[in-house]
DNA sequence: TAGGATATCTGTACCGGTTTAGTGAAACGG
DNA sequence: CCGTTTCACTAAACCGGTACAGATATCCTA
């Protein structure tokens, strides 16, 4: 390891092939047109013989492009992050980009992650954020201003912020879930809401209320409790709700739904016979529960993919205007919600 | 964007501070000792005034170190990969390294991923593999020979291969699970095994048999069925097993365990009252099932962390000898296995 | 046959850091 | 008082690519 292996660089290849480095560089970058067939073959052969592979770091320094994008994830209890990675990684790979991943559990580490990735010269940044409504954005706006393409997923931004976003239509999803229960004949429909300092919590609650209103159902405040997206808060919330005898419940989060399911079981009732339940979140997560939970299906893999696509557009054409992409959730009807007896 | 913003480089900082670039470089790299307090302060101030941040790509080119490691994951049905990422990312971040992530669903894409990351000059590579016993390793051995530090998690390697590995003791985990059932008084203990072209499947099956043998129980071949780690294969496997009336079943995978649970329910039996069940895999995944499944707990987050640690050791001291780190699983006793009535 | 086009290829300055070898002045030691 | 160290600092080569601005040779055209 000590002795310098006299690495094979583009200059060595050039010498071996008896051409200039420019010619080798042209060959590597597919500018075959201005090259005779003979030269092309000699370069190819020299590369082959030396087992040469170009150094991306050097290339990046010269071109100022790294073909790498940064994905910063603030996860905290977030079962949604693996599908986002999946979607983003697939889209990157397809476009011949690499993914630099960082976890940013708090505001400070998010700042550090953005800073580090900028120094590493990523071509763009994606932030998949936790849905707090009072999240800090100044570092993102600054980075944007200094020319770093950014896309955010699931994040509140000040009105008119010039940063493209991918958002999931939480309102609509909650509306669909609740309407489904209405259509099954339920009238006393409860809701376990997410925290009110999260826009996901607020939007889903609003969607729930809208569906009730549309159906001409009065909303009983005692039928809404607030959780924190944890299994335990779902369990506790459901225990509280059971006192007020709902016939169905829309739970605004997947872990909470499993908690609610458990609470219902523990009180001797059965889903869906005694009580219908609709969940919200990662559809895989609740698929294998018993009974399989009817759930709002968030297109999370797509969110990751689309975020990458939006970003790549901005990288290619920096002037591309800001844009908000709203992804529509679906409803996966499974076994946990049935018509009111 | 067109006009060149005359970026702030180390040379600009040097000019601004009235010192040489070497001095600025020394300052940046903490070689404060050979610098007068006055100079130090002038450099600090110039950096501050210009808002200078060093370019990591240029640094990497010069030092041949990128402070980045590559994590290549072959996932295919693998619910274990998010915790690995979690552990690896945390260990990286702590050591001031970044994580370059790639998905490699098949052998070809694994080769390409390794190649790409080598060109991007990662300081080392971690492969988290699917457990096929006949996996190709030549590209890893070659990379290793050419000086790229590599660590593999959960991968078979030829005897004596000089590549450090992190392995989970599947045999031991299966043994613990089965012994637990034996100790609860069960005698007809069935097993839903993983595929026999995966060492996880083979090792777990062996651990199961060993525990039976130790307890002096005869192993009835009809009480062992083979699945493919999917929910459906667990469901089908359990249906087959029910014909032979086991009092307990050890299921060698988490998704299969949920499938088995469903099959048991569907046939009108209850867990754990009529049949005890122990699962194996990602403990979170089966925690919220009803009943909460007793399961073998694989230390997957740790596997990611330790892989990074092993790798960083090799990066720091390339001659560090090969080493296999065997991680011991635990048994999480929850509700799905009870004493034989 | 001069003058331009075209095709093919090259020399070298960059990208923005690190690092080696070395300079000049002050401090030290006998 | 002179040679040696130490201290604080610098000039310039280097990492390994890209790309601009030509250089030649060949061909075409008027």
């Amino acid at each position: 390891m000590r002795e310098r292996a006299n690495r094979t660089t583009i200059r060595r290849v050039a010498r071996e092939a008896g051409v200039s480095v420019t010619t080798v560089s042209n060959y590597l970058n597919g500018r075959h047109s201005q090259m005779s067939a003979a030269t092309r073959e000699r370069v190819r052969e020299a590369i082959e013989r030396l087992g040469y592979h170009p150094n991306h770091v050097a290339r990046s320094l010269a071109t100022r492009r790294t073909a790498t994008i940064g994905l910063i994830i603030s996860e905290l209890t977030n079962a949604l992050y693996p599908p986002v990675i999946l979607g983003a990684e697939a889209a990157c790979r397809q476009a011949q980009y690499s993914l630099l991943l960082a976890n940013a559990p708090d505001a400070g580490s998010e700042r550090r992650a953005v800073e580090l990735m900028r120094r590493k010269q990523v071509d763009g940044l994606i932030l998949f954020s936790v849905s707090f409504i009072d999240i800090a954005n100044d570092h993102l706006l600054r980075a944007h201003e200094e020319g770093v393409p950014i896309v955010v997923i699931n994040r509140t931004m000040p009105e008119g912020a010039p940063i493209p976003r991918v958002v999931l239509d939480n309102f609509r999803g909650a509306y669909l879930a609740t309407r489904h229960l209405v259509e099954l004949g339920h009238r006393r429909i409860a809701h376990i809401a997410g925290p009110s300092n999260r826009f996901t919590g607020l939007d889903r609650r609003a969607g729930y209320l809208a569906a009730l209103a549309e159906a001409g159902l009065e909303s009983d405040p005692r039928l809404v409790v607030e959780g924190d997206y944890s299994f335990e808060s779902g369990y506790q919330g459901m225990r509280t709700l059971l006192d007020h005898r709902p016939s169905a419940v829309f739970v605004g989060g997947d872990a909470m739904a499993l908690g609610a399911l458990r609470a219902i079981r523990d009180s001797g009732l059965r889903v869906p016979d005694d009580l219908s339940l609709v969940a919200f979140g990662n559809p895989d997560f609740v698929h294998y529960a018993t009974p399989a939970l009817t759930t709002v299906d968030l297109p999370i893999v797509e969110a990751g993919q689309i975020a990458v696509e939006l970003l790549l557009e901005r990288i290619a054409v920096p002037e591309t205007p800001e844009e908000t992409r709203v992804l529509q959730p679906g409803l996966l009807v499974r076994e946990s919600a049935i018509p009111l007896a």
Side-chain angles (χ1 to χ4, degrees), chain A residues 115-127:
Chain A
E115 185 51 47
L116 177 62
M117 290 195 170
R118 291 189 60 184
R119 293 181 187 204
K120 291 215 170 178
Q121 310 288 117
V122 296
D123 294 341
L125 276 175
I126 295 177
L127 284 101

Side-chain angles (χ1 to χ4, degrees), chain A residues 7-10 13 28 47-48 50-56 59:
Chain A
R7 295 139 192 291
T8 99
T9 72
I10 199 173
V13 173
L28 291 171
I47 286 175
E48 164 108 16
L50 296 175
Y52 169 74
H53 293 300
N55 180 327
H56 263 66
R59 175 176 295 177

Side-chain angles (χ1 to χ4, degrees), chain A residues 57-140:
Chain A
V57 173
R59 175 176 295 177
S60 294
L61 179 58
T63 60
R64 302 158 178 286
R65 304 189 324 102
T66 51
T68 301
I69 73 170
L71 175 59
I72 299 176
I73 295 185
S74 61
E75 42 104 36
L76 300 174
T77 78
N78 214 334
L80 266 47
Y81 91 94
V84 167
I85 293 183
L86 219 62
E89 198 278 343
C92 275
R93 196 143 40 94
Q94 197 185 338
Q96 312 256 55
Y97 271 68
S98 303
L99 237 206
L100 205 53
L101 184 73
N103 212 332
D106 56 73
S109 50
E110 181 177 292
R111 284 195 146 77
R112 278 192 299 279
V114 169
E115 185 51 47
L116 177 62
M117 290 195 170
R118 291 189 60 184
R119 293 181 187 204
K120 291 215 170 178
Q121 310 288 117
V122 296
D123 294 341
L125 276 175
I126 295 177
L127 284 101
F128 176 51
S129 313
V130 69
S131 55
F132 290 119
I133 53 183
D134 59 348
I135 200 159
N137 287 310
D138 51 301
H139 53 309
L140 300 188

Side-chain angles (χ1 to χ4, degrees), chain A residues 229-245:
Chain A
Y229 288 138
S230 69
F231 180 89
E232 283 70 25
S233 74
Y235 187 90
Q236 290 305 329
M238 195 66 227
R239 291 207 79 97
T240 306
L241 289 175
L242 284 173
D243 293 341
H244 304 103
R245 298 261 148 222

Side-chain angles (χ1 to χ4, degrees), chain A residues 57-323:
Chain A
V57 173
R59 175 176 295 177
S60 294
L61 179 58
T63 60
R64 302 158 178 286
R65 304 189 324 102
T66 51
T68 301
I69 73 170
L71 175 59
I72 299 176
I73 295 185
S74 61
E75 42 104 36
L76 300 174
T77 78
N78 214 334
L80 266 47
Y81 91 94
V84 167
I85 293 183
L86 219 62
E89 198 278 343
C92 275
R93 196 143 40 94
Q94 197 185 338
Q96 312 256 55
Y97 271 68
S98 303
L99 237 206
L100 205 53
L101 184 73
N103 212 332
D106 56 73
S109 50
E110 181 177 292
R111 284 195 146 77
R112 278 192 299 279
V114 169
E115 185 51 47
L116 177 62
M117 290 195 170
R118 291 189 60 184
R119 293 181 187 204
K120 291 215 170 178
Q121 310 288 117
V122 296
D123 294 341
L125 276 175
I126 295 177
L127 284 101
F128 176 51
S129 313
V130 69
S131 55
F132 290 119
I133 53 183
D134 59 348
I135 200 159
N137 287 310
D138 51 301
H139 53 309
L140 300 188
L141 295 168
R142 182 153 27 86
H144 169 85
E145 217 147 273
E146 293 167 5
V148 183
I150 296 186
V151 172
V152 299
I153 308 177
N154 214 35
R155 185 181 188 115
T156 44
M157 284 259 141
E159 204 54 51
I163 295 184
R165 342 169 192 193
V166 176
V167 303
L168 302 165
D169 196 336
N170 287 283
F171 178 93
R172 176 83 186 160
Y175 169 84
L176 288 176
T178 311
R179 198 183 66 183
H180 179 61
L181 291 169
V182 167
E183 286 171 354
L184 290 172
H186 294 280
R187 319 216 81 224
R188 289 191 62 73
I189 302 173
H191 177 43
I192 302 180
S196 49
N197 62 345
R198 307 270 219 123
F199 65 83
T200 48
L202 298 177
D203 290 357
R204 291 171 198 171
R205 186 193 296 232
Y208 156 80
L209 292 174
L212 290 188
E214 189 190 70
L217 294 173
E218 240 172 280
S219 60
D220 181 345
R222 292 168 307 172
L223 288 182
V224 177
V225 297
E226 185 172 318
D228 61 5
Y229 288 138
S230 69
F231 180 89
E232 283 70 25
S233 74
Y235 187 90
Q236 290 305 329
M238 195 66 227
R239 291 207 79 97
T240 306
L241 289 175
L242 284 173
D243 293 341
H244 304 103
R245 298 261 148 222
S247 74
V249 57
F250 161 52
V251 186
D254 36 28
M256 290 199 298
L258 295 173
L261 187 63
R262 177 66 71 87
I264 296 168
R265 282 253 171 66
D266 284 359
S267 70
L269 297 172
R270 286 177 315 162
V271 175
D273 311 75
D274 303 314
L275 196 63
S276 282
L277 189 154
V278 177
F280 197 114
N282 183 338
D284 293 337
F285 198 68
V286 296
H287 186 183
Y288 299 129
T290 315
L293 300 189
T294 291
T295 186
V296 175
D297 172 24
L298 292 178
I300 320 162
V301 177
E302 288 81 350
Q305 280 173 343
I306 290 173
V308 170
E309 285 163 20
L310 289 179
L311 191 64
L312 292 177
E313 283 173 29
R314 264 74 190 175
I315 291 172
V317 185
E319 304 79 18
T320 310
E322 172 251 332
E323 173 180 356

